[in-house]
Short mmCIF file of all heavy atoms in Angstrom, two decimals:
data_model
loop_
_atom_site.label_atom_id
_atom_site.label_comp_id
_atom_site.label_asym_id
_atom_site.label_seq_id
_atom_site.Cartn_x
_atom_site.Cartn_y
_atom_site.Cartn_z
N ASN Q 4 2.77 1.63 -2.99
CA ASN Q 4 1.90 2.06 -4.09
C ASN Q 4 1.67 3.56 -4.05
O ASN Q 4 1.72 4.24 -5.07
CB ASN Q 4 0.54 1.37 -3.98
CG ASN Q 4 0.50 0.16 -4.92
OD1 ASN Q 4 1.43 -0.01 -5.70
ND2 ASN Q 4 -0.54 -0.63 -4.80
N ARG Q 5 1.42 3.96 -2.80
CA ARG Q 5 1.13 5.39 -2.65
C ARG Q 5 2.34 6.22 -3.07
O ARG Q 5 2.21 7.22 -3.76
CB ARG Q 5 0.74 5.69 -1.20
CG ARG Q 5 -0.13 6.92 -1.10
CD ARG Q 5 -0.56 7.22 0.30
NE ARG Q 5 -1.59 6.32 0.80
CZ ARG Q 5 -1.81 6.10 2.11
NH1 ARG Q 5 -1.06 6.68 3.01
NH2 ARG Q 5 -2.76 5.28 2.49
N GLU Q 6 3.50 5.74 -2.62
CA GLU Q 6 4.74 6.43 -3.00
C GLU Q 6 4.85 6.50 -4.52
O GLU Q 6 5.18 7.54 -5.08
CB GLU Q 6 5.97 5.68 -2.45
CG GLU Q 6 6.28 5.98 -1.01
CD GLU Q 6 6.47 7.47 -0.75
OE1 GLU Q 6 7.08 8.18 -1.60
OE2 GLU Q 6 6.01 7.93 0.30
N ARG Q 7 4.55 5.30 -5.11
CA ARG Q 7 4.70 5.25 -6.55
C ARG Q 7 3.72 6.21 -7.24
O ARG Q 7 4.05 6.92 -8.18
CB ARG Q 7 4.52 3.82 -7.05
CG ARG Q 7 5.51 3.57 -8.18
CD ARG Q 7 5.42 2.22 -8.84
NE ARG Q 7 4.10 1.73 -9.05
CZ ARG Q 7 3.80 0.43 -8.93
NH1 ARG Q 7 4.72 -0.44 -8.56
NH2 ARG Q 7 2.58 0.02 -9.17
N ASN Q 8 2.50 6.20 -6.73
CA ASN Q 8 1.50 7.10 -7.30
C ASN Q 8 1.94 8.55 -7.18
O ASN Q 8 1.76 9.34 -8.11
CB ASN Q 8 0.16 6.93 -6.58
CG ASN Q 8 -0.56 5.70 -7.06
OD1 ASN Q 8 -0.17 5.14 -8.09
ND2 ASN Q 8 -1.58 5.27 -6.33
N ARG Q 9 2.50 8.84 -6.00
CA ARG Q 9 2.94 10.22 -5.80
C ARG Q 9 4.03 10.60 -6.79
O ARG Q 9 4.02 11.68 -7.37
CB ARG Q 9 3.45 10.38 -4.36
CG ARG Q 9 2.94 11.67 -3.76
CD ARG Q 9 3.39 11.82 -2.34
NE ARG Q 9 2.35 11.45 -1.40
CZ ARG Q 9 2.61 11.08 -0.14
NH1 ARG Q 9 3.84 10.99 0.29
NH2 ARG Q 9 1.62 10.80 0.68
N ALA Q 10 4.97 9.65 -6.96
CA ALA Q 10 6.06 9.89 -7.91
C ALA Q 10 5.48 10.08 -9.31
O ALA Q 10 5.86 10.99 -10.06
CB ALA Q 10 7.05 8.74 -7.89
N MET Q 11 4.53 9.21 -9.62
CA MET Q 11 3.89 9.27 -10.93
C MET Q 11 3.22 10.64 -11.12
O MET Q 11 3.35 11.28 -12.16
CB MET Q 11 2.81 8.17 -10.94
CG MET Q 11 2.42 7.64 -12.29
SD MET Q 11 3.85 7.15 -13.25
CE MET Q 11 3.10 7.30 -14.85
N GLU Q 12 2.54 11.03 -10.05
CA GLU Q 12 1.82 12.30 -10.08
C GLU Q 12 2.80 13.45 -10.33
O GLU Q 12 2.55 14.34 -11.13
CB GLU Q 12 1.14 12.50 -8.73
CG GLU Q 12 -0.23 13.12 -8.81
CD GLU Q 12 -0.86 13.09 -7.43
OE1 GLU Q 12 -1.51 12.11 -7.09
OE2 GLU Q 12 -0.64 14.07 -6.67
N LEU Q 13 3.92 13.36 -9.62
CA LEU Q 13 4.93 14.41 -9.76
C LEU Q 13 5.42 14.49 -11.19
O LEU Q 13 5.50 15.58 -11.78
CB LEU Q 13 6.09 14.12 -8.79
CG LEU Q 13 7.14 15.21 -8.72
CD1 LEU Q 13 6.55 16.46 -8.07
CD2 LEU Q 13 8.36 14.74 -7.93
N VAL Q 14 5.72 13.31 -11.74
CA VAL Q 14 6.20 13.28 -13.12
C VAL Q 14 5.15 13.88 -14.05
O VAL Q 14 5.45 14.72 -14.90
CB VAL Q 14 6.53 11.83 -13.55
CG1 VAL Q 14 6.77 11.76 -15.05
CG2 VAL Q 14 7.75 11.34 -12.79
N LEU Q 15 3.90 13.48 -13.80
CA LEU Q 15 2.83 14.01 -14.65
C LEU Q 15 2.71 15.52 -14.51
O LEU Q 15 2.55 16.24 -15.50
CB LEU Q 15 1.50 13.36 -14.27
CG LEU Q 15 1.21 12.05 -15.00
CD1 LEU Q 15 -0.10 11.46 -14.52
CD2 LEU Q 15 1.17 12.28 -16.51
N ASN Q 16 2.79 15.98 -13.26
CA ASN Q 16 2.70 17.43 -13.03
C ASN Q 16 3.82 18.16 -13.74
O ASN Q 16 3.60 19.18 -14.39
CB ASN Q 16 2.78 17.74 -11.54
CG ASN Q 16 1.43 17.54 -10.89
OD1 ASN Q 16 0.42 17.48 -11.58
ND2 ASN Q 16 1.43 17.43 -9.58
N LEU Q 17 5.03 17.59 -13.59
CA LEU Q 17 6.17 18.23 -14.25
C LEU Q 17 5.95 18.25 -15.75
O LEU Q 17 6.22 19.22 -16.44
CB LEU Q 17 7.46 17.48 -13.91
CG LEU Q 17 7.97 17.73 -12.50
CD1 LEU Q 17 9.18 16.87 -12.20
CD2 LEU Q 17 8.32 19.20 -12.32
N PHE Q 18 5.39 17.13 -16.23
CA PHE Q 18 5.13 17.03 -17.66
C PHE Q 18 4.13 18.10 -18.10
O PHE Q 18 4.31 18.78 -19.10
CB PHE Q 18 4.61 15.62 -17.98
CG PHE Q 18 4.42 15.39 -19.45
CD1 PHE Q 18 5.48 15.44 -20.33
CD2 PHE Q 18 3.14 15.15 -19.96
CE1 PHE Q 18 5.30 15.26 -21.68
CE2 PHE Q 18 2.96 14.96 -21.31
CZ PHE Q 18 4.04 15.02 -22.19
N THR Q 19 3.08 18.27 -17.28
CA THR Q 19 2.08 19.29 -17.59
C THR Q 19 2.72 20.67 -17.61
O THR Q 19 2.48 21.48 -18.52
CB THR Q 19 0.96 19.29 -16.54
OG1 THR Q 19 0.58 17.96 -16.31
CG2 THR Q 19 -0.22 20.10 -17.00
N ILE Q 20 3.53 20.92 -16.59
CA ILE Q 20 4.18 22.23 -16.53
C ILE Q 20 5.06 22.44 -17.76
O ILE Q 20 5.03 23.48 -18.41
CB ILE Q 20 5.01 22.35 -15.23
CG1 ILE Q 20 4.07 22.46 -14.03
CG2 ILE Q 20 5.93 23.55 -15.29
CD1 ILE Q 20 4.75 22.32 -12.70
#
Side-chain angles (χ1 to χ4, degrees):
N4 262 352
R5 206 178 285 157
E6 278 304 321
R7 218 183 39 217
N8 282 346
R9 224 178 260 157
M11 205 51 203
E12 219 172 271
L13 186 68
V14 169
L15 272 178
N16 278 343
L17 286 175
F18 184 62
T19 314
I20 289 169

